[in-house]
Amino acid sequence: MEADGDIVKAPFLHRLAQLGRRAGTVLLDQLYPPLCLNCEAALAEADALCGACFAQLRPISSPRCPVLGLPFEVDLGPDALSAEAIADPPPFRRARSAVLYNEVARKRVSRLKEGERPGRARFCARLRAGAGQELGGGGRVRVPVPLHRPRQFPRRYNQSTELARALAQLTGLRVDPTLVARSRRTRQQVGLSADARHRNVAGAFSVRPDAAARLAGRPVVLVDDVITTGSTVNAVTRALNRAGIADVDVMSFARVTVQGDLS
Ligand SMILES: [Zn+2]
């Protein structure tokens, strides 16, 4: 808050800093003209993919499992569930993802994780806003899946929070980045078996004690960058359920599926 005090005391300096920042942005755009986020071909528009890279993304649309959001090869009707949803019903209501996790999607997710310019989350958010249309409305609050602090701080920001914020800017929906926290350190899920993933994140998340009052009955949409086996979003949903928040949907930019691996 010290900075705020300085701003009140020195409006001229604040204005100068503002102008400096604006000039810096203009300069950045001149130094770094818009490039394809994937292959770095020159583009007319920032935060986008070129036509060739965009065509490699595999959007997930109907027909899909109404619960897990997994794409179906053939349309089995609106109530047909995937074998995965029947064998192991998730604690959340519905999950939706924008694209299959293939090479272009993987590069996008890993660039976000490495901490590229935060504004770049807009591209993923735009795609997800389309995929998650049925999860909108009803005063739903976007809650990012939290990173553990020691992992969040070196990167300076949480990519799920960035995605949730970019999504909120596009759609005007609310974001609550502090509702859920990671209460213990977990290993990276990459390279673990499904069973080990489950054990790794079970009980790893805590929900603010005032969460139910804070939400006042509003449902939650958990936001993550990529869903692999669903262990992480399952663990966060269970923590929300224990805190008395029953209505939880899940949304991600990418989704790991067998089809995604093959394409
Ligand atoms: Zn490209």
Side-chain angles (χ1 to χ4, degrees):
M1 294 328 272
E2 230 179 287
D4 285 343
D6 291 344
I7 287 166
V8 174
K9 274 181 254 158
F12 171 73
L13 285 179
H14 171 56
R15 178 88 188 112
L16 201 64
Q18 252 187 349
L19 283 172
R21 268 199 297 276
R22 208 166 296 156
T25 310
V26 171
L27 194 65
L28 265 181
D29 285 347
Q30 278 178 357
L31 284 174
Y32 302 103
L35 299 178
C36 168
L37 292 172
N38 192 58
C39 73
E40 303 191 341
L43 288 183
E45 173 195 12
D47 305 324
L49 292 182
C50 72
C53 291
F54 194 82
Q56 289 175 52
L57 284 175
R58 295 279 173 270
I60 301 176
S61 54
S62 293
R64 64 184 154 201
C65 169
V67 173
L68 291 178
L70 293 165
F72 287 149
E73 299 266 320
V74 286
D75 196 347
L76 304 168
D79 300 323
L81 298 184
S82 58
E84 292 89 336
I86 295 167
D88 191 9
F92 51 79
R93 226 156 53 94
R94 296 167 297 179
R96 294 291 180 270
S97 307
V99 296
L100 297 180
Y101 189 70
N102 62 9
E103 185 51 29
V104 179
R106 186 198 62 75
K107 206 162 152 190
R108 212 64 313 278
V109 168
S110 69
R111 291 286 292 278
L112 276 174
K113 279 197 164 105
E114 287 158 12
E116 65 180 356
R117 278 165 64 190
R120 299 279 163 89
R122 276 199 297 268
F123 173 76
C124 294
R126 274 202 301 270
L127 290 187
R128 256 189 347 185
Q133 263 169 355
E134 55 189 308
L135 307 186
R140 288 171 191 280
V141 179
R142 264 63 186 159
V143 174
V145 169
L147 293 177
H148 194 268
R149 283 180 174 245
R151 264 166 49 197
Q152 181 168 347
F153 278 103
R155 276 189 219 140
R156 297 222 298 265
Y157 73 96
N158 173 348
Q159 70 272 16
S160 307
T161 304
E162 277 305 316
L163 287 172
R165 286 210 175 109
L167 199 62
Q169 274 172 4
L170 284 171
T171 57
L173 298 168
R174 300 163 61 113
V175 181
D176 192 335
T178 62
L179 198 77
V180 181
R182 223 173 252 252
S183 45
R184 72 171 163 77
R185 207 176 163 74
T186 52
R187 294 167 59 197
Q188 294 271 10
Q189 295 279 75
V190 176
L192 299 181
S193 69
D195 193 41
R197 279 169 186 265
H198 174 74
R199 274 182 281 122
N200 187 33
V201 291
F205 298 96
S206 61
V207 176
R208 283 174 66 118
D210 64 345
R214 196 172 155 93
L215 286 174
R218 281 188 293 266
V220 161
V221 179
L222 263 185
V223 178
D224 208 350
D225 50 3
V226 53
I227 299 174
T228 307
T229 60
S231 305
T232 303
V233 286
N234 285 348
V236 180
T237 304
R238 288 198 185 95
L240 286 163
N241 290 163
R242 281 196 297 275
I245 298 152
D247 193 350
V248 180
D249 285 325
V250 173
M251 192 191 264
S252 76
F253 167 63
R255 172 88 204 206
V256 175
T257 63
V258 176
Q259 295 99 307
D261 293 342
L262 295 176
S263 63

